[in-house]
Amino acid sequence: MLPKKTKFIIALSLFSIVFFSFWMNDSSAVQQKIAIYLNGKQKTDWDPQFINGRVYVPVKLMAESLGSKVSWDDKKQTVDINTDIKMIASIPEEEIYLYALNKDKDTNMYKDLIVSINGVKKVFDWETIAMITDLPELFYLDLNNDQKKELAILLSKGHGTGFTSKTIHIINPENFTEYPIENPLDIMKNHVTTKIISDTEVDIKIGETISTINLKNTPSPEKISEISYENFIDYEIFNHTIKATVGVEGDYLQYIGYITIEYYFKDGKYKMKNISFSQN
């Protein structure tokens, strides 16, 4: 692995080549549209400009495509290029890599994640906790039955005793667009109703099915103060199917059961197919 200083010098060398060494001696070429290729793929969104015999490419687009973070300091009138990125997940055999551009020291979260597929990169404003026990999970498989593979990325905001908070992102590798997926908490609002009968008994209704939970038959909690769902959200991918699990809290971080949501793909997004409740 290259040392940080070497990587920085290489990055600067790349930028020097791009911005200071592209001379156009053929006057007829000036009248044509300039095409720029990165790793063999044409970059149609860079809009290169020919000025005084040189080709200029926007620094932000060029740097971010090479895996760097670019910011502008208006007071100092300076551009800061940060090449210190960290790989946090990969599927090497498919040439798929996930990098983090920044790390928030206060929250211990990786921010501004880069998805790289076959050398093509895009920056997403996602975040995931910077802990070895909560590394992102990558899945490359056909999830929407179009006979093509999608990239699913599972990220974590952290977990602990009774707490799990994950998010999922599904990317079309051909154009790096993200497929929408229904938020499990929104699904809960639309399909699940609860009724607290007493401090030890609650009804959970999904569609026409009602489950009556008696805390005398469960190890925890001792009593029900209120029903909430926000502290346990997990995802898994099994047999090309996405599932979300949401914990049903009867008291803070004390669960009386779990809602399982199975997704399917329809009308360009992943929607709820099945929803069920279990005490396990």
Side-chain angles (χ1 to χ4, degrees), residues 220-276:
S220 62
E222 294 182 356
K223 64 178 182 178
I224 299 172
S225 56
E226 63 177 348
I227 300 296
S228 59
Y229 311 105
E230 290 78 12
N231 290 314
F232 190 101
I233 301 175
D234 197 8
Y235 289 93
E236 65 172 331
I237 295 177
F238 183 72
N239 286 340
H240 298 250
T241 300
I242 301 170
K243 291 184 179 181
T245 301
V246 180
V248 181
E249 292 178 76
D251 201 353
Y252 180 66
L253 300 183
Q254 299 290 312
Y255 297 94
I256 60 175
Y258 299 87
I259 300 289
T260 299
I261 300 166
E262 182 179 326
Y263 290 88
Y264 77 123
F265 189 77
K266 184 179 180 181
D267 300 329
K269 66 174 62 177
Y270 290 88
K271 301 179 178 181
M272 183 199 78
K273 180 180 181 180
N274 295 311
I275 182 170
S276 60

Side-chain angles (χ1 to χ4, degrees), residues 71-83:
S71 59
W72 168 253
D73 190 318
D74 191 54
K75 292 182 178 179
K76 296 180 179 179
Q77 296 288 292
T78 58
V79 174
D80 178 54
I81 302 172
N82 177 15
T83 62

Side-chain angles (χ1 to χ4, degrees), residues 22-33:
F22 282 161
W23 286 91
M24 298 282 285
N25 295 319
D26 186 353
S27 59
S28 63
V30 178
Q31 308 301 321
Q32 302 175 9
K33 182 176 177 61

Side-chain angles (χ1 to χ4, degrees), residues 192-224:
V192 179
T193 57
T194 59
K195 180 181 180 182
I196 297 176
I197 300 173
S198 68
D199 60 1
T200 60
E201 196 172 19
V202 61
D203 282 347
I204 297 177
K205 183 179 180 181
I206 301 177
E208 298 302 318
T209 302
I210 299 177
S211 301
T212 300
I213 310 302
N214 193 320
L215 297 188
K216 296 178 181 179
N217 302 320
T218 62
S220 62
E222 294 182 356
K223 64 178 182 178
I224 299 172

Side-chain angles (χ1 to χ4, degrees), residues 6-40:
T6 304
K7 290 191 292 184
F8 183 71
I9 292 173
I10 291 174
L12 287 182
S13 299
L14 286 170
F15 283 102
S16 298
I17 292 171
V18 171
F19 293 110
F20 300 108
S21 300
F22 282 161
W23 286 91
M24 298 282 285
N25 295 319
D26 186 353
S27 59
S28 63
V30 178
Q31 308 301 321
Q32 302 175 9
K33 182 176 177 61
I34 301 167
I36 300 292
Y37 288 80
L38 179 67
N39 297 325

